[in-house]
Amino acid sequence: MSRRSGILEFAVLGLLRESPMHGYELRKRLNTSLGVFRAFSYGTLYPCLKTLVANGWLIEEPGSTHEDALAAPLAGRRAKIVYRLTAEGKEHFEELLSQTGPDAYEDEHFAARFAFFGQTSRDVRMRVLEGRRSRLEERLEKMGASLARTRERLDDYTLELQRHGMESVEREVRWLNELIESERAGRDLSGSASGGSAQQDITSGSAGGLPRAGDTSGTDTPDDTAT
C-alpha cells in the first residue's frame, strides 16, 4: 500500500466511524472538511472503498431513503450504496489511531491524523504533536544551513522565497507549541478544561498553515449513483 492510499483509507474509516455515508457524501467530507484531500482525484476513492470492503472493514448496503428507492425505476440506474463501518473496521481504525511512528509526523499524514484528534487519546496526541514539532525543527535547521551556504549565490526573489518557506515552518512550530502546552494543561482547543475534545476539522486556513495534498492527477468522476 502506498503512503497516499494509506492516508485515504485512514480518513475514510474515520469519517465512517461517525456515521454511514454514500460515496458522494464521503467525497464532499474529504474535499471540504478534511482540507488535506482538497486536491485528491475522485477516481481514487472508489477503488479505496472496494479495498476496504474486501478487507472486511466496510460493508455495502442499499440506500434506504425514498429518493434512493426511486432511483432505479425512474432513472434506470442502481440506487446509491451506503458504506458502513464493521466491528473489524472500527477495531482497525482504533489501531491506526494509536500509531505514533514517523509516518504520523509527515505533512499529509499529520494533517489527516490531526483531523481525528477528537477520537484520539491524549497521550497519543502528545506523542504525535511532539514528533511533528521535532520533525519541523530539524527541517528548520537544514533550511537555515542551506540558506547560509547559498545566500550569496541567490537572487533577491529566490532568497525571499526561501525566507517565506522558513517563516511558514516557524509559524507551524509556534502553533504546535501552543497545542502541546494546552494538552499538557489538560485543556481543549477552546481553552477550557476537558477530558476529551470534539473532532477538529481541518479546513482552509484553520490549521496554522498545515500542508495540503498536492495530488492533482486524474479528474475522472464516477457516477455518484453507484455509490
Side-chain angles (χ1 to χ4, degrees):
M1 179 194 305
S2 68
R3 176 178 295 176
R4 179 69 172 158
S5 62
I7 298 169
L8 180 58
E9 290 184 6
F10 171 83
V12 168
L13 292 172
L15 289 175
L16 290 177
R17 188 186 188 190
E18 298 174 6
S19 64
M21 297 184 200
H22 298 308
Y24 177 70
E25 293 174 295
L26 273 169
R27 281 170 45 187
K28 286 204 304 183
R29 288 293 305 277
L30 288 165
N31 188 253
T32 58
S33 296
L34 303 182
V36 66
F37 294 104
R38 192 173 304 279
F40 89 114
S41 168
Y42 290 145
T44 64
L45 175 59
Y46 301 96
C48 171
L49 289 169
K50 295 302 182 184
T51 297
L52 294 175
V53 170
N55 288 340
W57 298 330
L58 301 182
I59 56 173
E60 297 176 330
E61 299 176 337
S64 58
T65 66
H66 179 66
E67 187 176 299
D68 288 337
L70 293 177
L74 293 182
R77 296 180 294 186
R78 291 182 297 141
K80 291 182 179 180
I81 294 172
V82 172
Y83 294 91
R84 182 184 300 274
L85 196 66
T86 65
E88 293 81 3
K90 181 179 179 181
E91 183 179 346
H92 179 63
F93 179 69
E94 290 173 349
E95 179 184 346
L96 294 176
L97 277 181
S98 69
Q99 295 178 2
T100 59
D103 279 353
Y105 317 148
E106 298 301 333
D107 293 347
E108 291 180 347
H109 208 156
F110 173 74
R113 286 295 303 269
F114 188 85
F116 295 99
F117 262 21
Q119 303 181 38
T120 307
S121 64
R122 187 179 301 277
D123 63 320
V124 171
R125 292 199 302 264
M126 281 292 294
R127 289 199 293 272
V128 173
L129 290 172
E130 290 174 341
R132 175 66 175 173
R133 181 176 62 181
S134 295
R135 181 62 52 85
L136 292 183
E137 287 172 342
E138 293 172 3
R139 187 180 299 175
L140 272 177
E141 184 176 350
K142 292 178 181 178
M143 292 172 74
S146 175
L147 185 60
R149 288 194 307 269
T150 60
R151 182 187 301 272
E152 300 302 324
R153 301 195 299 272
L154 300 177
D155 62 57
D156 290 343
Y157 292 99
T158 304
L159 184 61
E160 189 61 29
L161 183 62
Q162 292 205 11
R163 286 173 175 163
H164 173 69
M166 290 186 66
E167 289 172 359
S168 296
V169 178
E170 288 169 348
R171 282 196 299 272
E172 188 175 343
V173 170
R174 289 195 295 270
W175 174 71
L176 289 167
N177 284 335
E178 293 172 0
L179 289 174
I180 290 170
E181 181 181 350
S182 292
E183 291 288 346
R184 286 176 175 163
R187 299 192 301 268
D188 62 21
L189 295 188
S190 67
S192 61
S194 174
S197 59
Q199 176 178 333
Q200 303 300 317
D201 283 341
I202 292 185
T203 55
S204 177
S206 68
L210 282 178
R212 295 179 189 157
D215 179 11
T216 56
S217 61
T219 57
D220 51 318
T221 306
D223 189 346
D224 293 334
T225 59
T227 57

